[in-house]
Each structure stands twice: as C-alpha cells, then as structure tokens.
Amino acid sequence: MHGTVFDTQRFSLHDGPGIRTTVFLKGCSLRCFWCHNPESIRRPPEIEFYPERCIGCGACVALCEHGANTITDDGTVTYDPQQCTVCGECIDDCFANARVLVGRAWSVDEVMAEILQDRSFYGDEGGVTLSGGEPMLQADFTADLLARCRAEGIHTAIETAGHYPWSTLEPVLPLVDLVMMDLKHLDSERHRDGTGVPNERILSTARHLATETNKPLLFRTPVIPTYNDAPEVIDRIAGFVRDLIAARGDACAARGETPAPVRYELLRFHQLAGDKYRGLGRANRARDLEPLSKAQMDALSQRAHAMIHAGDPTAIIPNAQ
C-alpha cells in the first residue's frame, strides 16, 4: 500500500496532545483561499521553483528532455510546469536547492520507519497525527497506516475537513483515538465563497461524529481576517459546537456511556505560506490580510467560551498562536 505524502514533521506540538509525528498526505477537496499548506491541495507530486536561489549553472536544462527548463543569454533559468513530468531528475542535480519536490509515493513501511524513530518521545500523551491536505482522500492508505500505529500501541489522530460521505470515515474510526476537524463557517454560501464547497456535508459529518461515536473530538476554526473573524460568526460556530456537546450527551445517555470530550479551538491566521505560493507559481489571495492580534484572538475565544460554557466549561481550550 502506497500513499502520496509531502512531508513528515517530527516533534510536532500543535497537531494533537503531547509530542507527535505529523504525516502530511497530499490532496484536498477544499480550496481555501488562505490555505497554509498550498502544496497539499493537488494530489500529484509537484515541483516548487525558487528562481532567487538559482545560480544559473544550467544543469537542470541539460537534464530535462521535455523543455520544462530553459536558460536565457543572461543566464536566467526559467521553469514551465506545463512541460514538466515531475520526474525529479533536475532536483537531484540542483546544488542551490532552487527546486523542491513536493510529494512522492511512500509505502506504509517507509512511513512507519519514520514514525518509530520518534516512539521514545511520545510518552503517555503523544503519538501520530495524519494531516494534509485531506487524509481521507487516501482512505485505504490512511486506514493501513493507522492500523500499523495501533498495532504498535501508538496514539493516533487525524486532522480532517469532513467533506466526504460518512461511509468514507466510519470504517476508519475504530483505528483513531482523536478526531480534529475544521469548522470554517456556518453559512453555506460564505463557506463556498471561502473554500470552494458548501458546508452541508461537513456539518453532517460533525453531527455523525458527535452522536454515532464516542471518540474525543476537537473542532477548530482558523480565524481568517475579513472572512470569519466577526464575533457573530464565531458565536454561530461555538453555538453549533455547544449543540453537538448536548447531542452527544443525549446519545451517550441512551447507550449507557460516559461522553468523551468535545472541545473547540481557534487557530490564528498567519502569512508563513507566502513563499510556497511563489514556489508553486500560484496566486496568494490572502497575501494582504493582517493576522489578528493576540488580544483579538483572546477576545473571540472568551466569547466562544461564554457560548459553550453552559454545555461544558472545559470545551474551550486556549487558542493556538
């Protein structure tokens, strides 16, 4: 079993509890205009090209049989992704690292070899998180990798957008210890404006998770200036989470179970992905947005806490900076 992976981040502290290894899978069904991982959106491998690093040696031009790389009389190298087959040969000979291969086929064994190097650091809380992109777009690979982690006694988590049929996620859940899921906007048209898709399927997935499972859940909202940073927008999302907590309580009571926690977190928008957009040759539609201050984020978090407090005073965790 192979999957398309574009990064593995070791000693991660922001993708679940404890120290974790985060595996980033390529491919996403959303097109969020602020995406912090634009290299994750398309499923096939890609090349990022950074001309400012290029020393004009011409090695890539000589290697490429498809005319994707050319050099001008003044020594400037250009790259045409339309002609590129992403064979990767020019990357191996790019001494200046002006080209970066984003994504390749990994076997489950290869990923597990990376994960097991960090096993001694996980302790009681840490483990492995599958992120992206959207890991459920590679559901078979995701399931195999999660099963291997569980067989090794490693805590597992997934980060997901939830935009797929419930039947895609349900078979994987027995292998997952924590589900982290984005809730970006409660208004479906505004959700489509920002992400390219409506939110009905996403909200349905959230309801299924809350009532048909008893897995710990962490819902997250990336707070994007001009898009969903208005207090009333966060209020609506927090109200939805409050209702999910109540619905889980009722469902668990009917089954005679103690409800697992449902929590909510605000994520601060940042501008750290700008170089990735340039390297991929894509427009960065969020380039002119100013991140909210810590004080603004704290104020929104407090409002969300007030909205959810009656249902579960532990449901809000400090917003991620």
Side-chain angles (χ1 to χ4, degrees):
M1 178 65 65
H2 286 73
T4 307
V5 176
F6 71 90
D7 195 14
T8 56
Q9 182 175 315
R10 302 169 69 181
F11 302 100
S12 174
L13 301 175
H14 301 293
D15 295 313
I19 297 172
R20 310 189 72 79
T21 301
T22 304
V23 181
F24 293 89
L25 279 68
K26 218 168 178 316
C28 188
S29 57
L30 274 62
R31 297 294 183 266
C32 304
F33 74 84
W34 64 86
C35 183
H36 290 162
N37 291 326
E39 73 275 36
S40 75
I41 295 174
R42 298 173 183 170
R43 174 75 175 270
E46 300 174 272
I47 289 178
E48 294 176 346
F49 176 53
Y50 298 96
E52 68 277 8
R53 303 178 190 172
C54 180
I55 61 175
C57 69
C60 60
V61 178
L63 282 169
C64 185
E65 300 177 354
H66 307 282
N69 305 313
T70 58
I71 188 166
T72 62
D73 292 340
D74 65 359
T76 301
V77 174
T78 61
Y79 168 62
D80 182 359
Q82 300 303 317
Q83 302 298 320
C84 181
T85 62
V86 197
C87 67
E89 289 188 18
C90 64
I91 293 171
D92 295 335
D93 278 18
C94 185
F95 310 111
N97 293 320
R99 299 162 191 277
V100 178
L101 180 64
V102 181
R104 69 173 179 87
W106 288 57
S107 69
V108 172
D109 286 343
E110 287 179 296
V111 180
M112 285 303 300
E114 287 279 311
I115 289 170
L116 292 175
Q117 289 184 60
D118 293 340
R119 183 173 184 170
S120 61
F121 297 100
Y122 296 152
D124 294 332
E125 293 187 345
V128 170
T129 298
L130 302 190
S131 186
E134 172 56 71
M136 295 314 302
L137 291 187
Q138 301 187 54
D140 291 342
F141 179 77
T142 291
D144 277 11
L145 187 53
L146 291 170
R148 288 283 297 277
C149 289
R150 289 295 290 268
E152 294 285 347
I154 297 172
H155 182 279
T156 58
I158 60 169
E159 293 183 316
T160 181
H163 187 252
Y164 40 73
W166 174 242
S167 59
T168 300
L169 180 62
E170 188 177 22
V172 176
L173 290 174
L175 306 171
V176 178
D177 295 307
L178 169 67
V179 178
M180 294 177 280
M181 180 176 163
D182 279 4
L183 297 172
K184 298 177 173 74
H185 213 294
L186 262 288
D187 181 275
S188 189
E189 284 305 309
R190 284 294 286 155
H191 195 280
R192 186 194 298 271
D193 290 342
T195 70
V197 301
N199 68 3
E200 284 81 7
R201 177 172 279 179
I202 293 167
L203 300 185
S204 175
T205 298
R207 294 186 185 100
H208 280 296
L209 282 168
T211 60
E212 296 182 28
T213 81
N214 199 19
K215 296 287 181 180
L217 305 176
L218 172 55
F219 292 106
R220 306 172 117 179
T221 298
V223 182
I224 312 303
T226 75
Y227 175 67
N228 64 359
D229 61 331
E232 59 269 22
V233 175
I234 300 300
D235 285 351
R236 283 193 66 192
I237 301 173
F240 179 73
V241 175
R242 176 198 60 203
D243 293 344
L244 292 181
I245 293 171
R248 166 163 285 189
D250 292 342
C252 285
R255 296 193 296 261
E257 298 174 344
T258 300
V262 178
R263 308 181 81 187
Y264 184 48
E265 177 182 37
L266 303 182
L267 303 176
R268 189 184 184 195
F269 167 79
H270 62 68
Q271 287 284 11
L272 300 180
D275 281 348
K276 297 178 182 181
Y277 282 96
R278 287 193 304 106
L280 292 166
R282 297 183 201 161
N284 179 5
R285 293 170 53 200
R287 66 184 182 278
D288 296 325
L289 298 183
E290 290 292 331
L292 273 66
S293 67
K294 184 179 184 302
Q296 290 171 311
M297 290 293 296
D298 287 344
L300 288 175
S301 184
Q302 289 168 11
R303 288 181 67 97
H305 183 277
M307 179 66 65
I308 295 177
H309 181 78
D312 182 355
T314 68
I316 290 287
I317 62 179
N319 62 71
Q321 300 298 318

